[in-house]
Amino acid sequence: MGGKSTTKACFFCFFLFHCTISTDIFPKQALPTKSGYLTVNPASNSAIFYTFYEAQTPTSPPSQTPLLIWLQGGPGCSSMTGNFFELGPWRVVSSFRQNVEHLSLEPNPGFISLDPLFKHRPVYITGESYAGKYVPAIGYYILKQNNELVDSERVNLRGVAIGDGFSDPETQLATHGVTAYYSGLINDKQRDELEQAQWEAIKLVKMEKWSEASNARTKVMDLWQNMTGLATLYDFTKQKPYQTSLVTKFLNINEVKKALGVSESMVFESCSGVVRAAMHEDMMKSVKYMVEALLGNTRVLLYQGLYDVKIGVVPNEAWVKTMKWNGIREFLMADRMICRVNGEVAGYVQKWENLTNVVVLGGGHILPADQPLNSQAMIEGWVLESGLFGGEVKDA
Ligand SMILES: *[C@@H]1O[C@H](CO)[C@@H](O)[C@H](O)[C@H]1NC(C)=O
Ligand SMILES: *[C@@H]1O[C@H](CO)[C@@H](O)[C@H](O)[C@H]1NC(C)=O
C-alpha cells in the first residue's frame, strides 16, 4: 500500500503545488466515497456535514448491502469524532518527530462503513452515548412515516443499535451510587452523598423540571468525578482521557478540509456548546417508549463496554428491565452467552427475538476505539444475524 500511495502522490504533484502536503496528510485511498452537506433548513442556511464510505468487501449486491448511519452523542458532538477516532475505515494517529507532533491517518483494523445511495438498501441507525436518544427518535420517526407511505416509498429500516446509551435518564441515574460502590471506587459515606445527589436529580425529573434536572445530573457526575479523580468515568482503567482532541486538530488542518470538501473558513469543534445548550431541556427526557415501539417492529441492539462506569452495563441493565415489550420476560430469562472472537473471550451476548444486548470486554464508552476488531465482529454478526446473533427473527 505504501508504494501505491507514493505513486499517486507523485502523479498529483505534477498538477498541484500543495499536493505533497495534501496527499501526505490525507491519502487518496482514505477519502470517503462521498462527503458534503445535507440541508437541514434552507431558510437558516443550516446543514449537516456527512462522510459516506461504500462497503469495501460487500458480500451482497449493492442494493442489498446494509447501510449503517452513525451518530455521536453529546448532545451536540460531531460524528466525525466517531469516524476518525472509532469506527471509520481510517483513524487519526499522532507521532512525534524531533519533538514536533505529526498527525496522520492509518487504516482502522476494525469497522467498515456502508452507503446511502440506494433507496431500498437495508438501513440501520446506530450511535453511542447521547445518541441513545437520537437513534430511537430517528427509528421511531421512520416507523411512523413508513405507516403513511406506500411500500415502494418506505425506508427499509432493519434495526437500530445503541452503544453505551443514555435513553432512560431517570432509571439510569438511580444506579450511579451502586455502580461506583460495588466497583470499589467509593466508600459507604461517599455512596450516601452520591445517592443523595442522584435522588435530587431524579426528583426533578419526576417533577418534569427538565432544565434543573439536567443541572442536577451534571452535579452528580462532577461529584463522582471529584470523589474518584479518575482520568475518565467513561473507562475506569484509563490513565488519560480518550485522545479525541487528535481528531479536532486533524480536521482543522486546511489540507484536510480541502480533501473533504469543507470550506477553509469553517472551524471544526468536536462538540458544540450551542447545540448542547439548545438540547438542555431535552437531556433528561426518556425515549424508552420509542425503543419499546421499535422492538415491536424491528431489531434493537444495545451494547456496552465493560469499563464504562458512567453510562455502561449497570445503568443499561436497570432501564432494560423496566421496558414494556411483549418479549421482555423471555429476554430477561435468556442465558447470557459467552462470545469468543478468534478463540478469546470477547464479551457476552443475551438475546431474545428482536432484542440483543452485548457486553464487550476490554473497552469503555468509546468502544470501537478500544476494541475495533471485536466491535466489528459484533456489529457484523448482529447485522447479518450470524453466529450467536442468529435465531428466531426472520425478515418480514
Ligand atoms: C468538584 O471539584 C471542583 C474543583 O475542586 C469544584 O470546583 C467543584 O465544585 C466540585 N464539584 C462538586 C459537585 O463537588
Ligand atoms: C419483532 O419484529 C417483527 C418485525 O421484524 C415483528 O413482526 C414481531 O412482532 C416483533 N416481535 C415482538 C415480540 O415484538
Side-chain angles (χ1 to χ4, degrees), residues 295-298 325-327 353-354:
L295 279 166
N297 288 277
T298 188
W325 166 58
N326 274 340
E353 267 242 1
N354 300 345

Side-chain angles (χ1 to χ4, degrees), residues 201 204 208-217 280-281 284:
L204 291 164
E208 303 193 356
K209 293 194 167 173
W210 303 117
S211 185
E212 289 92 333
S214 188
N215 294 338
R217 177 180 180 269
H280 196 67
E281 287 267 321
M284 303 306 287

